[in-house]
Amino acid sequence: MIADLSLYLVTDAALCGERGVVETVRRAVDGGVRIVQLRDKAATDAETVEQLVALSQAIDGRALLVVNDRLEAALVARERGARVDGVHLGQGDESVLRAREALGPDALIGLTANTPAHLEAVRALPHGTVDYLGVGVIRPTTTKPDHPAPLGVDGFAAFVASSPVPCVAIGGVGIDDTEALHAAGAAGLAVVSALCAVDDPAAAAEAFRRRWLAGSVPRVLSIAGSDPSGGAGIQADLKSIAANGGYGMAVLTALTAQNTRSVRDVHVPPTSFLRTQLDAVSDDIAVDAVKIGMLADAEVIRTVGDWLEKVRPPIVVLDPVMVATSGDRLLAPDAERALRDLLGRATLITPNLAELAVLSDREIADWADALDAAEELSAEIGAAVLVKGGHLPGDEAPDALVDARRGLRQEFPGARIATANTHGTGCSLSSALATLLARGEEPGAAVHAARTWLRESIRAGAGLRVGQGNGPISHFAGLWERGGADARPEAADIAAEWWEGIAGIRAGIDDLPFIRGLADGSLKREPFLSYLAQDALYLREYARVLAEAARLAPTSDEQAFWAESAHGSIVGELELHASWLTPAQGVSAATFATEPGPATTAYLDHLRSVAFGGDYAEIVAAVLPCFWLYTDLGRRLHAGEFGEDARDPRHPYASWLATYADPSFEEATRTAIAHATEAASRADAETRARMHRAFAVSSAHELAFFAAPLESPDRG
Ligand SMILES: Nc1ncnc2c1ncn2[C@@H]1O[C@H](COP(=O)(O)OP(=O)(O)O)[C@@H](O)[C@H]1O
Ligand SMILES: Cc1ncc(COP(=O)(O)O)c(N)n1
Ligand SMILES: [Mg+2]
């Protein structure tokens, strides 16, 4: 049997402690353990049967279950309805031949081995008797008191090289061995203490799995229809999987005769042949992720559902394809019910707006409706939902990831790209997601990366000059342009993402009593002047950071811009002193000579530490919120968004508010946004992430800075 041995939990009742073996296993499987071995040398056969029954229920088909040594108990537990997939035998335990005979050809049979003589013995057995070897110990361990001399990673690698069957590394394996053992050729890691004796087995398992997957090329199977014009269906899937770093496989549910204009005909081969294709793959290859596309009719859906029930792939991304971009049906209308039943088997489903309406059986009038419907559907099916906004009217094409079980609702903003090349966008996105999830990405990060890649590929689509209708996207545009480096988002997309990312901070600023009072003029003079005094202190240092940006700027345009901004910042400081922070305004010499308050100090510390790092990209991201948030606030104050008072010339702070809405400051802000986000677009993914963080941290400091005058009694 072909099994995913990547993360293999071996139980130890003592190490599981009060939590117990069953609960430990349940959580570890939640976290991604793929196979569980019940190992309890002290239990009686009757106790072992009970434990297997309980474990089988807790695992619920999400991982394989084998038992150490106790063939009889496995057989009895099977009779009692437990799903026991096989046994793991030691050199001294029952004969593997007898186990194979008793458990049948589909059982998983493992054997402990660590010497050349053991390997000779395995070679002498009929092919298919032993499925894998447990090889160790890797390091000294206390969970096997009588263990042989440790092999170490090198000894393990040498053993694997001459083994006829896959080898799992066991014995003292810790998370930091993951990469080395993967590179040494391990089929998986068998872990005892590092999963049983930890507070959070799910988190530990997730960490193992993520590190394991990061080093592998995932094997991704698309189960979908064929599009001979190459833009959608399995053709799009295979390109998308490859472009995102996976090994692509494809099982055909249907053949369409379509091009970029329309679907002319659909041929659905017999489902018996579909099943033969599916088994041919899973009998030979461990499938890391499945993407499901066009399913044609109810019988196809049932066939795929039965196969999923047998194989239980760890990741299933289901794109509930109903209608093609051209408007032609790809699913028989009477099959919608059957499709709904299949959703429960998915990890993630990716409906467009029309499909979401059908699946959730409600009307969707706008994006807010779509999010609510997605949340409801997610709760109902127990899977995450990525609702796609490609068919929204207007200039925006957002997507949103909703997972009711985790209380997750994450929006991904994006301007609509003006292009006709949208054929196969849904197919491409879902297979990219299956691949990225199989590479160990978190769902939110996977969606972000898939969208970045998709948007670049959509933009490049027209350049392919394929077809007269809705042409395809250019799946390898990034690869062809940059030789495979991560996709680069456009500056405008980065701006949208950063701005959306601080939506909570912006709402927080709008709600501050200080801002409300500033808008309607009710703000007392004293906190206002103390705010200005802090602002003056801030601007002087801010100017130095801007000057540092000028010093490091890669082009003379940018150099000039940041130098002018530094100058502007100093002029701003001087003006504050000239017109507001004066004895005439009631500002005493004491306030004048004020010290920076905590919020000012914290903000400046952040800016200076970024500036000290000497990275132009990060500095310009950190200085951006001071431009952007002020301009945005000024524009909205001026537009009367906070009430009409702010525009009244008799408003006590009218002249100060006017400087907010100064057109030349707005122009400078546009330029600052452009320089920062273009630097981000040119940067590698790691630098871009640092920039995003620096931007978000500065934004949070802006909020604290506005809050300070009415908050801290010891403000400057
Ligand atoms: N013109 C466009 N500009 C930017 N993104 C788009 C555009 N059209 C579709 N997308 C994106 O392509 C993906 C597929 O979405 P959608 O077209 O809604 O689904 P489907 O292709 O299944 O009908 C989504 O990520 C969506 O945001
Ligand atoms: C065989 C096949 N499967 C799926 C689609 C959906 O295409 P889109 O991704 O544009 O929704 C398609 N046109 N053809
Ligand atoms: Mg589409």
Side-chain angles (χ1 to χ4, degrees):
M1 165 177 193
I2 290 298
D4 178 352
L5 302 166
S6 57
L7 186 53
Y8 187 140
L9 167 64
V10 182
T11 66
D12 183 305
L15 292 178
C16 291
E18 272 181 28
R19 186 172 53 218
V21 168
V22 175
E23 186 54 25
T24 304
V25 165
R26 186 197 316 278
R27 294 194 202 170
V29 171
D30 287 345
V33 159
R34 303 292 300 141
I35 170 167
V36 175
Q37 180 193 133
L38 172 64
R39 180 172 181 267
D40 192 339
K41 301 278 186 198
T44 64
D45 261 10
E47 286 165 350
T48 304
V49 170
E50 291 307 321
Q51 291 230 44
L52 285 172
V53 171
L55 284 174
S56 160
Q57 278 166 5
I59 294 171
D60 191 25
R62 296 172 299 155
L64 298 174
L65 173 62
V66 302
V67 60
N68 186 292
D69 187 13
R70 310 297 182 85
L71 178 57
E72 292 310 320
L75 293 168
V76 176
R78 273 186 173 185
E79 270 167 32
R80 293 210 11 214
R83 179 170 166 168
V84 181
D85 298 282
V87 291
H88 182 91
L89 302 176
Q91 286 292 331
D93 300 337
E94 305 238 13
S95 143
V96 285
L97 282 165
R98 202 175 96 65
R100 176 59 70 199
E101 203 184 303
L103 291 168
D106 286 341
L108 185 73
I109 295 182
L111 183 67
T112 299
N114 41 41
T115 68
H118 294 157
L119 277 180
E120 271 318 303
V122 171
R123 275 197 207 92
L125 290 166
H127 177 76
T129 306
V130 172
D131 293 301
Y132 74 90
L133 298 179
V135 179
V137 298
I138 306 301
R139 301 183 188 294
T141 169
T142 52
T143 60
K144 189 177 170 75
D146 54 344
H147 70 69
L151 290 171
V153 174
D154 291 344
F156 177 82
F159 193 92
V160 171
S162 55
S163 170
V165 292
C167 295
V168 173
I170 184 161
V173 173
I175 190 154
D176 291 325
D177 299 317
T178 305
E179 288 78 13
L181 287 170
H182 188 284
L189 308 177
V191 179
V192 190
S193 316
L195 287 174
C196 292
V198 294
D199 287 340
D200 189 346
E206 260 175 49
F208 265 107
R209 196 159 164 75
R210 193 156 292 131
R211 282 176 66 169
W212 177 265
L213 292 174
S216 338
V217 175
R219 295 149 293 197
V220 183
L221 172 63
S222 160
I223 304 172
S226 157
D227 167 11
S229 73
I234 58 150
Q235 287 81 355
D237 294 340
L238 290 171
K239 295 173 200 180
S240 305
I241 294 164
N244 285 279
Y247 173 76
M249 303 174 277
V251 160
L252 266 79
T253 54
L255 290 83
T256 70
Q258 72 175 301
N259 54 29
T260 64
R261 288 174 184 276
S262 67
V263 179
R264 295 183 180 181
D265 203 357
V266 176
H267 170 66
V268 184
T271 47
S272 59
F273 186 70
L274 170 60
R275 181 63 199 241
T276 308
Q277 293 181 74
L278 289 165
D279 288 336
V281 174
S282 60
D283 286 349
D284 184 38
I285 301 163
V287 175
D288 297 307
V290 169
K291 172 255 154 89
I292 298 174
M294 175 180 176
L295 289 171
D297 61 34
E299 214 185 312
V300 168
I301 293 173
R302 270 192 295 278
T303 306
V304 171
D306 290 347
W307 177 83
L308 286 174
E309 168 66 18
K310 182 185 104 169
V311 174
R312 299 274 188 149
I315 292 162
V316 177
V317 177
L318 192 156
D319 188 19
V321 177
M322 294 178 185
V323 176
T325 305
S326 54
D328 301 288
R329 286 207 79 93
L330 295 170
L331 182 72
D334 65 353
E336 279 161 12
R337 178 79 256 152
L339 183 61
R340 224 178 297 185
D341 294 339
L342 193 67
L343 301 183
R345 300 207 177 276
T347 320
L348 169 68
I349 68 168
T350 60
N352 63 24
L353 293 176
E355 290 154 355
L356 181 63
V358 171
L359 295 174
S360 61
D361 205 9
R362 55 186 265 182
E363 282 197 19
I364 292 174
D366 55 22
W367 187 236
D369 267 2
L371 294 185
D372 290 343
E375 184 143 345
E376 219 174 271
L377 186 61
S378 169
E380 189 185 314
I381 64 175
V385 176
L386 181 78
V387 49
K388 300 176 294 189
H391 301 280
L392 280 173
D395 294 340
E396 299 296 315
D399 296 331
L401 180 62
V402 176
D403 192 337
R405 296 163 306 173
R406 300 180 181 209
L408 176 78
R409 198 186 248 223
Q410 191 176 356
E411 284 197 52
F412 300 85
R416 176 171 305 283
I417 300 161
T419 179
N421 288 65
T422 55
H423 179 71
T425 45
C427 304
S428 302
L429 177 67
S430 56
S431 14
L433 280 170
T435 309
L436 291 160
L437 290 171
R439 284 176 60 185
E441 297 277 7
E442 307 261 15
V447 172
H448 186 262
R451 275 178 53 90
T452 304
W453 163 78
L454 181 70
R455 291 177 65 83
E456 176 172 54
S457 305
I458 292 175
R459 280 196 196 92
L464 293 173
R465 304 189 184 208
V466 172
Q468 323 291 308
N470 287 114
I473 69 171
S474 183
H475 294 86
F476 295 107
L479 186 72
W480 294 339
E481 205 183 301
R482 292 187 307 279
D486 282 334
R488 300 236 169 118
E490 293 239 313
D493 288 352
I494 294 168
E497 186 195 345
W498 288 5
W499 193 241
E500 179 63 29
I502 59 163
I505 292 174
R506 289 188 283 121
I509 292 176
D510 284 3
D511 284 344
L512 287 174
F514 180 84
I515 297 295
R516 296 273 152 199
L518 192 58
D520 65 17
S522 66
L523 180 69
K524 295 234 162 48
R525 204 154 186 84
E526 201 262 350
F528 177 67
L529 291 175
S530 98
Y531 166 80
L532 292 185
Q534 293 297 318
D535 203 28
L537 288 167
Y538 170 84
L539 286 173
R540 181 181 308 172
E541 291 306 305
Y542 184 60
R544 294 186 208 279
V545 178
L546 291 169
E548 185 64 5
R551 189 178 75 80
L552 296 167
T555 65
S556 43
D557 253 10
E558 284 160 280
Q559 185 181 1
F561 172 75
W562 298 115
E564 276 162 28
S565 300
H567 178 249
S569 185
I570 286 292
V571 169
E573 187 217 340
L574 295 175
E575 270 172 17
L576 281 177
H577 286 298
S579 45
W580 289 97
L581 302 171
T582 61
Q585 296 281 354
V587 177
S588 66
T591 314
F592 201 99
T594 188
E595 290 290 311
T600 311
T601 306
Y603 195 172
L604 290 173
D605 281 352
H606 163 63
L607 291 179
R608 281 187 291 236
S609 87
V610 170
F612 186 74
D615 180 347
Y616 171 77
E618 201 176 340
I619 297 174
V620 297
V623 298
L624 190 55
C626 183
F627 283 90
W628 203 345
L629 288 170
Y630 273 79
T631 299
D632 174 64
L633 202 56
R635 186 184 52 72
R636 291 183 302 120
L637 280 165
H638 222 67
E641 211 177 279
F642 292 81
E644 288 304 307
D645 304 327
R647 298 199 288 195
D648 189 332
R650 288 161 306 176
H651 188 291
Y653 309 121
S655 67
W656 192 74
L657 289 177
T659 63
Y660 267 52
D662 175 4
S664 67
F665 184 52
E666 258 181 66
E667 174 62 30
T669 296
R670 266 195 299 278
T671 309
I673 294 170
H675 286 328
T677 55
E678 272 155 25
S681 166
R682 290 191 300 267
D684 58 37
E686 185 266 333
T687 307
R688 197 154 51 239
R690 265 192 299 118
M691 293 178 74
H692 192 176
R693 260 195 310 278
F695 175 80
V697 170
S698 287
S699 302
H701 282 302
E702 287 287 341
L703 169 63
F705 194 87
F706 278 128
L710 289 178
E711 237 167 31
S712 55
D714 62 342
R715 66 187 175 267

